[in-house]
Every structure is written in structure tokens, then in C-alpha cells.
Amino acid sequence: MEPKVIKRIGVLTSGGDSPGMNAAIRAAVRTGFYYNIEMFGIYRGYEGMIHNEIKKLDSKNIAHVLERGGTFLKSARSEEFRTPEGRQKAYENLKAHGIDALVVIGGDGSLTGAHLFYKEFGIPAVGLPGTIDNDLSGTDSTIGFDTACNTAIQAIDKIRDTATSHDRLFFVEVMGRDAGFIAINAGIGSAAAAILIPEKKMPIEDLVEKLKVRTKAKKTSNIVIVAEGGKSGGAAEIASKVKKLLPYYDIKVTILGHLQRGGAPSSFDRLLASKLGVAAVEGLLHGKYDVMAGLINHKVVYTPIKKAIVDDKTVDEDDFRVAKILST
Ligand code: F6P
């Protein structure tokens, strides 16, 4: 597509926050300044677009944000943006500020919003994959996923200490919505006895059998990782089913929850966010619209948003094999 002349770009973060979003905003804004573009922060995602929470950014706004978790632009899940009236209001506000393109940092819902907005109003947008869930195609890793896995592993290591001291069986629930990427990574990285993820069914009888074998092998601590979106229920539900079948186990449940979303981004996430922030603005300047910038094999790749949000990224079969070998 022939590039439009772009003079003002708005940046927003939307949906669940993820570590590295600040680094991505900073990179996009700095790149805009490098190319003499005026950069605007749209606060609270699409909600802020609708309610005109839009401010021009200067270099002070982005000083010392790279290393911080969360998003200084704040985030929200906007119901109003799902309506044509909400999107119309958002468009009027962008027009009033003379904003002619967007960088949207978020998960599949946020990128879907950018795609719809482009279709309806022709506002060019480049999306960046900002979610701890890693459930977007078109990138090997999403911004925040690596940090979330590190955070989960650190927490599980601590649980391991107390589990071993008391010979207990722990069920640890991790986030990921309906994807098992955090679970499989954190599970392999923390020597879990078993990993339950939505993508793969493990009947309760198989889990019980596995635990029995480990008891015979005199394993003193057992940690089972449960992805939150599993069809057989969360960690508490599975723990109570196992307790009925293995009553002699002292069982505890820990739900890691939102602590996985916080904290300073890892070195990997800082680099990923920085590269993609630059790619977002350069993409817009080169006429790449309605796409998501991602990193595949260390190279920037632009994937149509429609393709990136299709739920076809699955946990690698080989990760399963590895997890199985290492937990027997
Ligand atoms: O998409 C990121 C995520 O943290 C999911 O892993 C989780 O299911 C969801 O957001 C939680 O959303 P909220 O913070 O709105 O409760």
C-alpha cells in the first residue's frame, strides 16, 4: 500500500497489562521523535480514546519507564469500544487531535479493536503483541510472556522449599486464559511432577497413576502445574478430586494470579519490546497497516492482524515430550 503522510501517531495499551509494555511505548515514542513525528499517549486504552484522555508526549514522559512493569499509559478493557457509537466517539477525538495513525499494544481483543477501527475509519494501525499469555500467532513470544514465566518459576521454587519440608503435594495454578504456554514453560522450568493445560487432556486417573509412581520412587515433594483455562477445572477443583482418590496425601493449592502480570520486565522482554516499538512506527511510515509486528527467529515480521488473532498457535508437542521424560 502507498504510505500516507503521517504526522501524528497515538500510542495506547489495552487489555491485561504485561511487563514490557512500558518499554514498547518508550521505543515507539522515541522512534516517532527520531522521524520528527508528534507522539500522543492515549490513556486507559480504547476507553481513553472514547473519553478523550489524550495527551501529547515529550521525552520526559518516557524517561525511566523501560525498566518498570505495568503501563504508565494505563490499561482498560472497553465495553463501549465494542459498539459502533463508542468507536465513532473515539474517531472524533482522534480527528480533533489530528492523529492519523495508531500503535496499539495488547492482546487479541485489543488487536481486534485496531482491525475493526481500520476497516471502519481507515486509521492505519500497527499492533504489538502485549500479553503474558503468548497466545498470538505471528511472533515467537509476546511481550511479557518471558517475565511472567520467570515470575512463576521463582514463586514455584519457593513453594518447592515448603513442599519438600512437609512432604506435601501442591497444585499451583498459573495464568494464560485458555492457553497453556505459561504452564508448560514454568512446569518444565520448575521440575513439575505433571502439567495440566487446556490444549491437552489428562484424565484424573492418569494423574493419580503418575503420582503413585512418584510416591513409590520416594519423591518427597510433588508440584502439579495447572493452567487456569483447563476443561477439567482449576487447581482447587483438581486437587479435591485427587484428594478423594489419594486421601493419604497432604494437599495444598496455590493460585499465583496477578503477581504473574507485575514486576520489572526481563532482559528478553526489554529487547523484544524495544525492537517491536521501533518496528511499529517504521512499519506505519512504510505503509504497513492493519498488521501486528512480531519477532520470528529474531527477525521482525509483519502479520495481518486478522491472521495474528486467529487462535492457531499451540503449545509445541515436543515440549510435552520433554516434560514427560523429565517428570518420570
Ligand atoms: O490476558 C492476560 C490475563 O492475565 C490472563 O492470563 C487472565 O486470564 C486474564 O488476563 C485476567 O484478566 P483480569 O486482570 O481482567 O482479571
Side-chain angles (χ1 to χ4, degrees):
M1 155 142 0
E2 193 55 33
K4 297 184 181 181
V5 176
I6 290 176
K7 292 193 172 142
R8 294 180 168 194
I9 297 178
V11 184
L12 65 96
T13 49
S14 157
D17 62 346
S18 70
M21 278 186 162
N22 276 326
I25 301 165
R26 169 196 178 257
V29 172
R30 287 202 78 88
T31 309
F33 292 162
Y34 182 82
Y35 289 107
N36 294 319
I37 292 166
E38 288 183 73
M39 300 299 289
F40 288 77
I42 301 169
Y43 289 75
R44 293 196 311 118
Y46 294 117
E47 272 298 284
M49 208 192 270
I50 293 168
H51 298 285
N52 205 16
E53 295 166 40
I54 302 173
K55 286 188 196 131
K56 194 171 167 193
L57 299 173
D58 61 33
S59 54
K60 278 197 218 83
N61 295 112
I62 49 159
H64 304 296
V65 301
L66 175 142
E67 66 275 24
R68 280 170 32 205
T71 160
F72 81 89
L73 288 180
K74 300 192 178 288
S75 194
R77 300 189 197 277
S78 175
E79 281 307 315
E80 208 179 342
F81 195 75
R82 291 175 194 272
T83 66
E85 298 75 27
R87 292 195 292 278
Q88 183 65 42
K89 273 198 230 167
Y91 174 68
E92 300 298 336
N93 288 329
L94 289 191
K95 230 173 50 181
H97 287 276
I99 294 174
D100 28 38
L102 292 172
V103 173
V104 174
I105 309 165
D108 53 357
S110 313
L111 300 193
T112 305
H115 170 67
L116 252 182
F117 206 57
Y118 177 68
K119 268 192 13 197
E120 289 176 353
F121 300 102
I123 299 283
V126 171
L128 295 185
T131 165
I132 62 165
D133 300 340
N134 201 29
D135 57 349
L136 285 165
S137 299
T139 191
D140 291 335
S141 185
T142 54
I143 298 166
F145 171 63
D146 181 66
T147 309
C149 289
N150 285 323
T151 303
I153 282 173
Q154 283 162 17
I156 298 162
D157 284 350
K158 291 181 175 126
I159 291 169
R160 166 90 56 200
D161 291 343
T162 175
T164 310
S165 304
H166 290 266
D167 290 338
R168 278 174 169 161
L169 166 60
F170 267 83
F171 286 83
V172 180
E173 185 175 302
V174 297
M175 274 189 170
R177 202 175 288 275
D178 41 23
F181 294 100
I182 298 179
I184 197 89
N185 275 38
I188 292 174
S190 63
I195 305 165
L196 307 187
I197 65 167
E199 296 89 334
K200 199 130 191 139
K201 233 180 136 59
M202 183 189 270
I204 210 82
E205 298 72 30
D206 292 7
L207 175 62
V208 164
E209 213 35 59
K210 207 171 190 351
L211 292 168
K212 280 185 185 161
V213 171
R214 288 177 64 93
T215 308
K216 272 201 200 120
K218 304 243 178 304
K219 305 260 185 197
T220 53
S221 67
N222 280 303
I223 294 180
V224 176
I225 306 295
V226 183
E228 65 176 352
K231 297 188 184 54
S232 356
E237 223 175 312
I238 292 170
S240 82
K241 284 183 196 157
V242 170
K243 182 73 182 167
K244 283 194 189 113
L245 298 166
L246 299 173
Y248 50 86
Y249 262 119
D250 185 3
I251 296 180
K252 298 283 173 189
V253 174
T254 303
I255 295 171
L256 294 186
H258 287 81
L259 73 84
Q260 294 160 98
R261 288 237 299 257
S266 64
S267 135
F268 178 84
D269 275 328
R270 292 180 196 204
L271 188 68
L272 176 67
S274 300
K275 284 187 173 186
L276 295 186
V278 174
V281 170
E282 289 189 335
L284 285 171
L285 296 181
H286 291 113
K288 295 200 186 301
Y289 306 153
D290 198 20
V291 294
M292 185 196 84
L295 217 59
I296 298 179
N297 290 330
H298 311 287
K299 291 268 171 284
V300 170
V301 174
Y302 296 95
T303 304
I305 289 182
K306 246 181 118 175
K307 198 158 174 267
I309 56 179
V310 172
D311 202 8
D312 64 353
K313 185 166 164 187
T314 51
V315 169
D316 196 335
E317 269 303 315
D318 202 50
D319 287 356
F320 263 111
R321 209 178 55 79
V322 168
K324 194 170 165 206
I325 291 172
L326 297 180
S327 64
T328 38

